[in-house]
Amino acid sequence: MAPEPILAPALAPAATEPEKLDVSPVTRIPRTTSPTRLSPQSHLHARPGRHLTDSTLSSASSTSVSSCRISKPSSRRGSPFRARSSKLDLERLERDKDDFRGFFVLFWVAMGFYTLLTMVNNLQTTGILFGLGTFRLMTSNLLGLVRDDLMIVASLFSAFVLNWLMKMHVFRHPLVRAVLQHTVQSVFFFGWLSWIWHRDLPWVQSGTLTLHVIAMLFKIHSYNQYNGELNERYWADRRVRAEYKLLESVADPTAATVTSRLEEVKAKLAELETELCPGGTVRYPDNVTLANFADYLLCPTLVYELEYPRTQSIRWSYVCEKLAATLGSIMLMYITVEHYILPVLHNMRNMTFAGLLAQLFFPFMICYLMTFYIIFECVCNGFAEITRFADRNFYGLWWNSSSFDQFAREWNKPVHEFLLRHVYLESIQNYKVSKKNATLLTFLFSSCLHELAMIIVSRKFRMYLFLLQMFQLPLIWLGRLPWSRRHPVAGNAFFWFGMFAGPPLLAISYCFEYYYYL
């Protein structure tokens, strides 16, 4: 069964932009080179023209470049972003003359007839086109919901303040930075979850706010973590540049020792420049601005980069198209919930377990597909167009999955990229966890967050979603067996069976106590 794999400082003067140095003759060192720590040395700040002996030079250089590390290796793999369209974008289907674009049109025509038939049947039986029960839940205290959401967004700027203080050299020690970072994130996350719990909102609203808080937690963690790593490299870069000036001030710059050391320092500068200015345009700390942070919040990604690929202009007709698709999909999902799911759940005490599953298979699959389409095709593409974000690869060909690990990689690319970079790779590189244990840790982290969302929504601690998520581990093992690899069609059929059975099974589990005793 497959539920969604669905988030004491010392004051100092502000840092100034370092002088640009010529490092072009040096081949840039890959990011995988063994790191070296650079410790600040007071004797490196020599006056120009000061005569240094070889022994003094050797002592200074060995303590500043060769014998120490820059910082621990970054958990980043390089930018995964490039300009591309989403798989189900109608514009792409037409442009590429996709062989299956007719099936895409057929699906929406069928959904249109499905909606029309439902409304006609409801009009004949009840005298109204559709029920309003779920609508009342969605719009109950709507202004309060909007206020809470705006307050969540406003509280995100605490992450910007933290990084601006680092930029201004209020604190530099990595441990201080880490403690403050995780304190800010913990207060944001648990503070807002407590507020949502205290408000006791309808399940639609509490679920929306909870998922938004999790997604925003992912965003500010990536922003804090990446800029924190860059801050360490920035100050290492300043120390190396001080070493470079020291070497240039030697009386005989053509000496073999000086020449060799200059090449080493240039190599270090080139390596640091690759980290501080990976795209060649924006360089840390120039990115730590309100405008950059606000742009990042609007971009449909959970992973922070100094630069993203951008489109040339905003197509407002495209934005309107996605807005219309969002409203239509919400309407379709609303009718499905109101007329095909809630009546069955209300009547569950008079039905068998098999009968419940049979009647909920298709309605929940429609809701699942609509949820996917609204979030990843409509909302993400809409925000991508507004921010001119060119990488629209928000999902892969997950419907072709022959195993559940393939589905986890393809279904939700923004979350997958975040988990890969900030959970899987960080646990390996920072905490020396094995790859196998890092995979298990990542899966456990995702399962706990999914269950936490269900606890807030249902206001019950039942662990059903967590158990179903963890049950995917043996299913992943089965999908990697040689027989499964030789028969991908059978694997895909089993995957779709899990997709059909998982959501209604969860609904029955969480709703049983409420609806059965009504």
Side-chain angles (χ1 to χ4, degrees), residues 91 101-102 120 126 150 158 162 201 256 260 331 338 362 475 511:
E91 183 182 72
R101 64 188 184 278
V120 169
T126 64
L150 291 177
S158 59
L162 176 66
L201 299 166
S260 173
M331 182 66 180
E338 184 70 21
F362 189 65
L475 297 181
C511 296

Side-chain angles (χ1 to χ4, degrees), residues 128 212 240 332 380 406 489 512 518:
I128 57 174
H212 193 196
V240 178
L332 177 59
C380 286
Q406 182 183 355
V489 175
F512 179 82
L518 280 179

Side-chain angles (χ1 to χ4, degrees), residues 340-349 351 356 360 364 504 507-508 511-512 514-516 518:
Y340 294 99
I341 293 179
L342 290 181
V344 175
L345 293 176
H346 277 287
N347 195 39
M348 66 190 309
R349 64 188 304 173
M351 302 176 65
L356 277 171
L360 292 175
F364 264 101
I508 294 171
C511 296
F512 179 82
Y514 179 78
Y515 287 109
Y516 189 81
L518 280 179

Side-chain angles (χ1 to χ4, degrees), residues 17 23 32 77 116 189 225 237 244 246 251 253 299-300 362 410 448 454 456 465 487 508:
E17 180 64 24
V23 296
T32 54
R77 306 175 295 124
L116 182 62
F189 185 58
Q225 190 68 23
D237 178 79
Y244 185 89
L246 171 67
C299 285
F362 189 65
E410 301 289 338
C448 288
M454 288 304 302
I456 299 295
L465 179 53
H487 300 84
I508 294 171

Side-chain angles (χ1 to χ4, degrees), residues 193-255:
L193 289 186
S194 300
W195 174 258
I196 296 169
W197 181 274
H198 173 74
R199 292 261 285 137
D200 195 14
L201 299 166
W203 66 269
V204 179
Q205 297 183 6
S206 63
T208 301
L209 288 178
T210 301
L211 293 179
H212 193 196
V213 168
I214 293 174
M216 293 303 100
L217 173 69
F218 287 178
K219 264 188 175 287
I220 62 173
H221 175 80
S222 185
Y223 183 81
N224 289 332
Q225 190 68 23
Y226 186 21
N227 279 301
E229 291 176 357
L230 289 181
N231 186 262
E232 294 179 36
R233 284 157 176 74
Y234 174 73
W235 292 108
D237 178 79
R238 288 172 63 88
R239 293 193 294 269
V240 178
R241 288 174 187 274
E243 172 71 9
Y244 185 89
K245 291 180 180 180
L246 171 67
L247 293 171
E248 282 189 324
S249 67
V250 176
D252 184 10
T254 61

